[in-house]
């Protein structure tokens, strides 16, 4: 049986139209998210620091390795995914699409930087983390230094006096594990009063050297973390609670465990099987981890715990502890001095030596600690804004309308268990 030429042409046109229709049909968010994870893992093949944690399907990791995508190919495919997401209109109360698009913007920025694109410090932080830190001049910090000078009068450079005073509160090396273990267990106990943690969550601690950071949480999935503490430099007594809360409870360990449970396991959102270090997620991660310290130990509770529990464990004399804590409170106001050093150094307006001198004068770092801090800045660049700006944004969000402690914990838990960005906190 023969088919007329006209009929055959019509059939081919119908088949072609059907094919175009199928190609034009929007992809699902899940499919886009899966390819996005593949692209992040592919970038991790070029930059080992790019992926902070991955605990998703091994098949995706294998696929990313075998794909052998170049940075330019990753950039092009990320741009296509971003356009596909922009065309999707769905009911999205938790902001999954916004989160994914923010991640894709950060990925494209990171790839561009890797390929040699030059951005200013502020433009880089905006594109990677969705925020720009405030800019303070030297006069702002000088006013705070005057207060510290009155607290610790004497001869010589203020930074030298400050560090000599603080040295008497360093934890002896042979006491570090006992002090840190006690601190993190107390952080955990206080967090559990307000946050329902995943069943079986746990962590282990390692003490390491030769790192650019003071502490790090390596999240391994299934609510398990490896927490590393760097012992290159002496560890002050207050750093035990700082690191215990920041790296553990209610900080990074809890944040990652809740995202894994609530978004990856319960909702099947595969993008939350991966934590890209240079993404808007880091502002939330670092900001909440820093704010979590004062949330877990409100008012004078931290000072009381450290003086009655940690000082004896460390074998330290608490006679001058009150002045030490007054100094710590004043030095917290110098937090943004590190951002200024990073901004000017990375923008090329000051040399490395000038940046180190700034950190000694205005952040009151010892020369050794200033050098270590510059190594961190060179490694992680504008990432530094996530600690102080992130904390300030989280604090404003959690404490809004003078909320009581229970409400603060509820808001804080919300930040840790759903997609959030800097714009959501404002």
């Amino acid at each position: 049986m023969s088919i007329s030429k006209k009929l055959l042409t019509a059939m081919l046109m119908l088949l072609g139209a059907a094919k175009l229709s199928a190609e034009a049909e929007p992809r699902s968010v899940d499919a886009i998210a899966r390819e996005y994870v593949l692209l992040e893992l592919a970038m991790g093949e070029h930059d080992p620091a790019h992926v902070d944690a991955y605990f998703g399907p091994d098949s995706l990791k294998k696929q990313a390795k075998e794909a052998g995508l170049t940075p330019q190919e990753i950039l092009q495919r990320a741009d296509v995914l971003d356009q596909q997401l922009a065309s999707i209109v769905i009911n999205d109360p938790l902001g999954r699409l916004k989160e994914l698009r923010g991640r894709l913007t950060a990925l494209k920025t990171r790839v561009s930087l890797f390929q040699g694109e030059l951005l200013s410090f502020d433009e880089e932080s905006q594109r990677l983390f969705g925020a720009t830190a405030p800019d303070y001049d030297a006069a702002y910090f000088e006013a705070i230094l005057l207060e510290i000078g009155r607290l610790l009068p004497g001869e010589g450079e203020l930074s030298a006096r400050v560090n000599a005073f603080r040295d008497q509160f360093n934890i002896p090396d042979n006491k570090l594990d006992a002090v840190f273990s006690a601190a993190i267990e107390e952080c955990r106990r206080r967090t559990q009063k307000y946050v329902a943690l995943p069943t079986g969550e746990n962590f282990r601690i390692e003490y390491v050297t030769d790192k650019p950071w003071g502490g790090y949480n390596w999240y391994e999935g299934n609510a398990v973390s490896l927490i590393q503490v760097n012992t290159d430099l002496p560890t002050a007594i207050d750093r035990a609670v700082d690191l215990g809360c920041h790296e553990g409870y209610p900080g990074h360990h809890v944040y990652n465990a809740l995202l894994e449970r609530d978004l990856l396991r319960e909702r099947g959102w595969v993008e939350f099987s991966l934590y890209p270090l240079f993404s808007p997620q880091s502002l939330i991660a670092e900001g909440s981890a820093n704010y979590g310290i004062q949330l877990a130990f409100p008012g004078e509770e931290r000072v009381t715990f450290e003086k009655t529990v940690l000082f004896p464990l460390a074998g330290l004399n608490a006679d001058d502890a009150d002045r030490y804590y007054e100094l710590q409170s004043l030095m917290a106001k110098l937090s943004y001095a590190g951002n200024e050093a990073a901004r000017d150094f990375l923008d090329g307006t000051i040399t490395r030596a000038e940046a180190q001198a700034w950190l000694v004068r205005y952040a009151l770092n010892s020369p050794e600690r200033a050098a270590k801090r510059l190594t961190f800045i060179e490694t992680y660049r504008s990432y530094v804004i996530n600690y102080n700006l992130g904390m300030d944004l989280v604090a404003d969000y959690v404490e809004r309308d003078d909320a009581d402690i229970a409400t603060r914990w509820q808001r804080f838990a919300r930040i840790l268990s759903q997609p959030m960005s800097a714009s959501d906190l404002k």
Side-chain angles (χ1 to χ4, degrees):
M1 181 177 176
S2 62
I3 301 176
S4 71
K5 187 175 181 181
K6 184 181 291 188
L7 180 58
L8 181 59
T9 301
M11 289 174 65
L12 289 173
M13 289 178 63
L14 285 171
L15 286 171
K19 182 182 178 186
L20 286 172
S21 176
E23 289 176 346
E25 184 178 333
R27 299 176 66 194
S28 71
V29 179
D30 287 341
I32 293 172
R34 186 177 177 84
E35 184 171 350
Y36 154 75
V37 172
L38 186 146
L39 294 182
E40 293 280 18
L41 291 171
M43 186 57 196
E45 293 294 314
H46 299 282
D47 179 5
H50 185 75
V51 176
D52 189 75
Y54 177 68
F55 38 92
D58 289 338
S59 58
L60 263 183
K61 199 167 187 178
K62 181 182 178 183
Q63 188 179 347
K65 189 175 185 67
E66 292 175 347
L69 296 176
T70 66
Q72 185 60 29
E73 288 171 332
I74 295 169
L75 185 61
Q76 291 169 346
R77 289 177 64 166
D79 196 49
V80 170
L81 294 185
D82 197 17
Q83 293 176 38
Q84 290 173 345
L85 282 173
S87 69
I88 294 176
V89 180
I90 60 171
N91 183 28
D92 189 29
L94 292 184
R96 185 188 186 190
L97 266 64
K98 179 183 175 183
E99 165 85 9
L100 264 173
R101 295 200 68 192
R103 286 178 175 230
L104 282 164
T105 297
L107 172 59
K108 291 188 287 184
T109 301
R110 187 68 179 166
V111 174
S112 296
L113 291 169
F114 185 82
Q115 295 187 118
E117 182 179 358
L118 297 177
L119 298 175
S120 70
F121 180 88
D122 288 339
E123 186 179 359
E124 178 184 313
S125 73
Q126 181 64 47
R127 285 169 57 175
L128 288 175
F129 311 115
T132 303
D135 196 348
Y136 295 102
D137 60 14
Y140 172 84
F141 301 109
E142 289 285 3
I144 302 166
L145 295 181
L146 285 174
E147 292 184 71
I148 295 174
R150 287 191 287 268
L151 179 66
L152 294 178
E155 300 296 322
E157 292 291 331
L158 178 60
S159 61
R161 299 203 307 271
V162 165
N163 284 287
F165 176 75
R166 297 178 76 201
D167 281 347
Q168 65 184 300
F169 299 98
N170 289 335
I171 305 168
D173 289 345
N174 64 340
K175 306 283 189 180
L176 185 59
D177 185 58
V179 173
F180 187 76
S181 295
I184 198 169
E185 283 302 330
E186 181 65 10
C187 297
R188 185 188 213 175
R189 184 187 70 80
R190 289 167 173 262
T191 299
Q192 286 177 316
K193 288 173 60 178
Y194 296 97
V195 180
L197 301 176
T199 303
E201 61 80 21
N202 212 336
F203 67 93
R204 64 189 190 281
I205 303 171
E206 286 183 356
Y207 299 92
V208 298
T209 57
D210 196 26
K211 304 294 181 184
W213 35 258
Y216 212 107
N217 178 296
W218 301 99
Y219 190 69
E220 299 175 342
N222 295 315
V224 174
S225 290
L226 166 63
I227 296 174
Q228 291 185 328
V229 179
N230 186 10
T231 60
D232 283 344
L233 297 172
T235 303
I237 188 67
D238 60 292
R239 288 292 286 158
V241 165
D242 277 354
L243 291 173
C245 285
H246 184 100
E247 308 297 345
Y249 306 83
H252 292 328
H253 173 67
V254 173
Y255 178 55
N256 284 304
L258 293 186
L259 287 180
E260 181 185 14
R261 183 192 67 189
D262 296 350
L263 299 183
L264 176 63
R265 307 300 178 196
E266 292 187 5
R267 293 183 178 272
W269 292 358
V270 70
E271 65 269 31
F272 287 96
S273 66
L274 179 141
Y275 174 19
L277 191 63
F278 299 94
S279 72
Q281 191 174 341
S282 283
L283 183 133
I284 302 299
E286 302 296 357
S288 61
N290 267 359
Y291 178 74
I293 301 167
Q294 64 194 68
L295 183 65
F297 291 86
E300 293 297 310
E301 292 184 22
R302 173 177 177 174
V303 174
T304 299
F305 171 72
E306 290 180 351
K307 287 168 68 173
T308 59
V309 177
L310 300 189
F311 270 72
L313 279 175
L316 297 180
N317 189 331
D319 289 349
D320 216 0
D322 289 341
R323 190 156 60 131
Y324 175 74
Y325 286 110
E326 188 177 352
L327 171 64
Q328 292 300 97
S329 179
L330 288 171
M331 288 188 65
K333 298 178 181 180
L334 298 173
S335 168
Y336 282 91
N339 289 20
E340 298 305 329
R343 178 187 281 114
D344 291 344
F345 174 53
L346 295 174
D347 283 349
T349 60
I350 61 174
T351 65
R352 195 180 199 283
E354 290 170 332
Q356 183 168 341
W358 173 280
L359 289 170
V360 170
R361 177 168 180 79
Y362 293 111
L364 296 179
N365 292 152
S366 66
E368 297 78 13
R369 201 167 292 278
K372 174 70 73 174
R373 199 164 178 182
L374 272 173
T375 301
F376 184 94
I377 289 169
E378 288 174 317
T379 303
Y380 296 103
R381 299 182 56 82
S382 63
Y383 192 93
V384 296
I385 74 157
N386 295 321
Y387 297 97
N388 41 32
L389 178 62
M391 183 180 72
D392 289 346
L393 292 174
V394 170
D396 289 344
Y397 177 86
V398 170
E399 297 176 6
R400 194 165 297 152
D401 303 321
D402 202 24
D404 60 25
I405 189 66
T407 302
R408 292 182 183 191
W409 273 102
Q410 288 172 1
R411 292 174 178 173
F412 186 79
R414 186 185 311 145
I415 291 173
L416 301 189
S417 57
Q418 66 184 48
M420 295 285 278
S421 65
S423 62
D424 295 317
L425 297 176
K426 293 177 181 178

